[in-house]
Amino acid sequence: MTLLFVFFVINGCSGDRNPEPADLVIHNAKIFTVNDEAPKATAVAVKGEWIIAVGDYEKISKYINSESTKIIDAEGRLVIPGFNDAHAHFGPVDIDYIELRYTTDPTFITEKVKEKVAEVKPGQLIRGGHWEHEMFFDKTWPAKELIDPVSPDNPVILSRADGHSVLVNSYVLKASGITKNTPNPYGGEIDKDPETGEPTGILKETAQNLIKTGAVKIDYSDEEKKIRSEKEWDAAFDMAARDGVTSIQMPGGGDAVYMQKRKNEGKLTLRIDVAGSLTDDMKRLQKYDSLRKEYPREKNWIRFGYVKGFMDGTLGSATAFFFKPFEDKPETSGLPQMPYDELEKKVLICDSMGFQIGIHAIGSKANNWVLNAYEKASEVNGRDNSRHRIEHAQILIKEDIPRFAELGVIASMQPTHCITDKRFCEKRIGRERSKYAYPWKSLLNAGTKIAFGTDYSVEPLNPMEGLFAAVTRKDRMGEEGDGWFPEEKLSMEEAIRLYTLGAAFAQFMEERKGKIKEGYLADMVILDHDLFNISEEKIMKTKVDYTIVGGRIVFER
Ligand SMILES: [Zn+2]
């Protein structure tokens, strides 16, 4: 006993005095660790891919070797685990598309088009969009004069955020033969200047069908295509790094072979789970089985995630599946994507083979059916810790809320859908049914494991929008009051937790990812604002200053 005690003391002391030097130390930080045993810290040490110590400077300084340790002085900034997007359709980004989302100053559009014209050949089509005139300082519709001076020799088409209107330049109007004398087509409008009668460049709804771009076709060689494809992938990875997203879980699809190639080249800057489809086709299931053997759960970078199915459609298109008809479309209750028996059969087979299952369900009946099928699978196959998921879990009936926790079903939710859909949710399904729409707080209180994500590219990948949505339930444009069904709001701490540890749990990685803790993967972000101490409107303006994945700095502002 005494010997053992002495051994520990000596070993402990020498370990404290001369620990293995860290590769990276962050200090002078406000660390939110998501580790309940020690939720706060000011410094962290990383060796290779892993966090080796968390604490204060006194503790961490022992890991600093002045020659080999990279040191980041966080200057008091907030450090949290890297964001893990549990539902993102991640893929190559169109590098030629001019992104205009959240533009407030219309002259920004002029600048962006000017830049693009300088890059492309005369006659080449220039596309872009996501502008929203309601966000402009003057809230007025843009007109062709904004882009004509910088694009005399190129067709330019810039879509509004909702895709229902476009701004085109005079080049396109001319190529399309649209003049002051062109009548509005059925279901569309050619916006015209009230004084001159000239088309303004705004084409609404079916008027977009009149467009003939007159664009010069660009033929790329195979080599050029390859280079472009690589650039588009680079753009996607750059976006994720800039947004602080260090893990992505694909909801179906994903190319493990390409990811492996990128990893071999040292260009894989986030961890990714690829996915299969919910099926009862044994040939395909065997293919998924070999894929998961090659990319098993035990790995940390490229893994086979789950098999994905669809139970219904969306609220926006009135195809989400409900017990009762839509208020504004009484002839339909939505569109189940398969009969219940087929769902149950597929779930039983995939579950029996030990696959994790994730099924898209928006409407309350869709969610109810999926829960029923998961319940049946657990009765028949008797497997536990399956961690089956419902993707979106948007609108529930009250009775189904406790069933998630009871059945161990994960609610994989996307907070931004709430603030996008709340604009028409009550019109579509009424106030009463909306009570349990995006009910993350009720689910959490019932003990549900929730994973947050974005559903990129339906919504932007930027996690700050999700955090804003989760804690405010308010419109992005700002809104008075307490938010939509404010009893469902989360605290910032809860929201960050679901976006990190919650998402890690959904992929069976909570014992090594999603916390800033010794023995965890060193995935972290340093933010320019302290999310815990800022006003609501600053949440979405918060930027990532550093993104660290597996101890490597993949983005630095
Ligand atoms: Zn999706």
Side-chain angles (χ1 to χ4, degrees):
M1 193 68 190
T2 321
L3 254 178
L4 199 66
F5 179 69
V6 170
F7 171 80
F8 267 119
V9 169
I10 291 169
N11 206 32
C13 283
S14 69
D16 262 12
R17 260 189 232 123
N18 270 322
E20 216 186 348
D23 297 325
L24 172 70
V25 158
I26 304 169
H27 71 99
N28 194 14
K30 179 180 173 178
I31 304 177
F32 174 56
T33 65
V34 192
N35 172 19
D36 289 337
E37 292 144 35
K40 286 177 185 172
T42 56
V44 53
V46 173
K47 177 86 184 166
E49 268 208 68
W50 302 90
I51 294 168
I52 53 171
V54 183
D56 57 14
Y57 187 70
E58 198 193 338
K59 177 176 172 186
I60 300 304
S61 60
K62 299 181 186 111
Y63 294 87
I64 294 175
N65 175 313
S66 54
E67 264 144 48
S68 66
T69 307
K70 156 112 184 150
I71 300 169
I72 298 176
D73 179 352
E75 292 167 340
R77 280 171 293 183
L78 181 65
V79 178
I80 61 174
F83 292 101
N84 181 342
D85 194 319
H87 186 122
H89 302 264
F90 186 68
V93 168
D94 183 350
I95 41 174
D96 284 336
Y97 191 88
I98 305 176
E99 184 54 69
L100 299 171
R101 212 188 282 274
Y102 309 141
T103 298
T104 49
D105 179 358
T107 62
F108 176 79
I109 298 176
T110 313
E111 281 309 303
K112 284 286 159 187
V113 171
K114 189 177 171 189
E115 278 171 26
K116 192 54 79 179
V117 167
E119 282 171 28
V120 303
K121 300 182 177 121
Q124 195 174 336
L125 176 63
I126 293 173
R127 291 175 310 103
H130 293 135
W131 57 267
E132 157 83 84
H133 71 278
E134 297 281 350
M135 289 194 84
F136 296 166
F137 298 133
D138 56 5
K139 294 195 193 300
T140 55
W141 284 84
K144 60 183 195 288
E145 286 71 27
L146 199 60
I147 48 179
D148 272 348
V150 294
S151 60
D153 302 319
N154 291 84
V156 181
I157 303 176
L158 306 172
S159 302
R160 189 170 184 272
D162 62 3
H164 288 249
S165 307
V166 291
L167 170 66
V168 301
N169 62 351
S170 290
Y171 187 107
V172 172
L173 289 173
K174 200 170 158 211
S176 310
I178 298 172
T179 66
K180 63 194 295 187
N181 301 320
T182 311
N184 287 334
Y186 181 82
E189 186 189 340
I190 300 163
D191 191 48
K192 288 174 185 156
D193 186 292
E195 273 163 37
T196 64
E198 290 293 332
T200 65
I202 294 290
L203 304 172
K204 295 182 181 175
E205 303 293 352
T206 61
Q208 297 180 46
N209 301 336
L210 301 174
I211 293 174
K212 291 186 189 72
T213 63
V216 173
K217 197 169 174 292
I218 307 296
D219 281 320
Y220 295 108
S221 68
D222 287 350
E223 186 55 27
E224 279 172 324
K225 278 183 198 154
K226 234 174 92 187
I227 292 169
R228 283 178 65 82
S229 161
E230 202 55 20
K231 270 192 191 164
E232 291 180 347
W233 269 115
D234 288 349
F237 279 92
D238 288 350
M239 168 185 65
R242 206 168 51 235
D243 284 341
V245 176
T246 56
S247 290
I248 279 180
Q249 301 169 41
M250 292 286 290
D255 185 347
V257 176
Y258 175 73
M259 294 303 161
Q260 188 60 55
K261 174 180 165 277
R262 246 190 122 86
K263 181 156 192 301
N264 299 344
E265 292 165 355
K267 286 166 64 182
L268 188 68
T269 50
L270 53 78
R271 308 176 191 279
I272 191 153
D273 280 10
V274 300
S277 300
L278 180 72
T279 178
D280 51 6
D281 174 353
M282 285 315 288
K283 259 209 183 115
R284 275 174 83 185
L285 287 170
Q286 261 139 26
K287 207 185 97 198
Y288 296 151
D289 190 45
S290 41
L291 203 55
R292 77 173 158 181
K293 283 186 180 118
E294 204 176 335
Y295 300 99
R297 265 179 206 160
E298 293 68 33
K299 289 207 176 187
N300 293 322
W301 285 94
I302 307 158
R303 306 156 78 246
F304 184 81
Y306 61 91
V307 290
K308 158 94 183 277
F310 283 90
M311 194 62 254
D312 64 351
T314 67
L315 192 64
S317 56
T319 48
F321 183 40
F322 287 93
F323 288 97
K324 285 185 292 181
F326 292 98
E327 306 286 322
D328 59 346
K329 241 188 153 192
E331 69 277 14
T332 174
S333 307
L335 288 175
Q337 298 296 292
M338 56 186 137
Y340 177 77
D341 290 345
E342 187 185 327
L343 166 74
E344 192 179 281
K345 184 170 166 236
K346 286 179 177 170
V347 165
L348 281 174
I349 290 175
C350 291
D351 175 79
S352 74
M353 291 178 74
F355 285 107
Q356 185 187 23
I357 304 167
I359 300 177
H360 165 119
I362 304 276
S364 51
K365 193 163 186 181
N367 278 280
N368 181 260
W369 276 14
V370 176
L371 288 168
N372 294 350
Y374 288 158
E375 185 168 14
K376 185 74 177 183
S378 121
E379 280 164 23
V380 173
N381 298 330
R383 304 179 65 92
D384 44 69
N385 200 27
S386 312
R387 303 195 189 178
H388 296 321
R389 324 161 35 135
I390 295 188
E391 300 304 311
H392 312 308
Q394 274 182 12
I395 298 139
L396 306 174
I397 51 170
K398 194 181 173 197
E399 297 74 20
D400 279 342
I401 285 180
R403 294 179 72 203
F404 282 79
E406 282 159 22
L407 298 168
V409 173
I410 290 159
S412 167
M413 306 178 89
Q414 301 76 36
T416 43
H417 281 328
C418 169
I419 57 172
T420 298
D421 293 0
K422 80 183 186 69
R423 292 180 291 181
F424 53 80
C425 187
E426 286 183 53
K427 188 182 85 183
R428 189 134 287 170
I429 60 169
R431 179 90 185 155
E432 196 51 33
R433 274 190 282 183
S434 298
K435 242 189 200 164
Y436 298 103
Y438 320 90
W440 37 71
K441 186 69 178 181
S442 294
L443 283 165
L444 205 58
N445 288 346
T448 311
K449 300 283 189 185
I450 300 176
F452 270 173
T454 56
D455 206 7
Y456 170 84
S457 59
V458 178
E459 302 275 358
L461 190 68
N462 181 4
M464 298 309 156
E465 299 201 15
L467 296 179
F468 171 81
V471 307
T472 69
R473 294 175 72 98
K474 285 184 185 178
D475 196 272
R476 290 174 173 94
M477 317 267 292
E479 179 181 327
E480 293 296 306
D482 211 18
W484 192 57
F485 293 102
E487 59 278 11
E488 293 294 344
K489 291 196 290 192
L490 296 182
S491 69
M492 182 56 80
E493 193 180 312
E494 287 166 332
I496 291 173
R497 187 179 291 266
L498 301 185
Y499 227 130
T500 53
L501 188 60
F505 182 88
Q507 55 173 176
F508 296 89
M509 291 186 85
E510 75 282 5
E511 91 310 332
R512 64 188 189 280
K513 194 165 81 177
K515 292 181 188 180
I516 297 179
K517 186 182 172 184
E518 187 186 330
Y520 272 62
L521 290 163
D523 300 352
M524 295 176 275
V525 291
I526 304 179
L527 305 175
D528 70 341
H529 291 153
D530 177 358
L531 289 170
F532 295 101
N533 288 302
I534 51 174
S535 56
E536 282 177 355
E537 63 276 11
K538 280 206 175 131
I539 298 171
M540 282 208 290
K541 291 186 185 129
T542 300
K543 298 250 184 301
V544 173
D545 280 345
Y546 285 88
T547 303
I548 297 155
V549 185
R552 176 177 153 202
I553 299 167
V554 300
F555 172 75
E556 191 175 343
R557 188 169 299 279

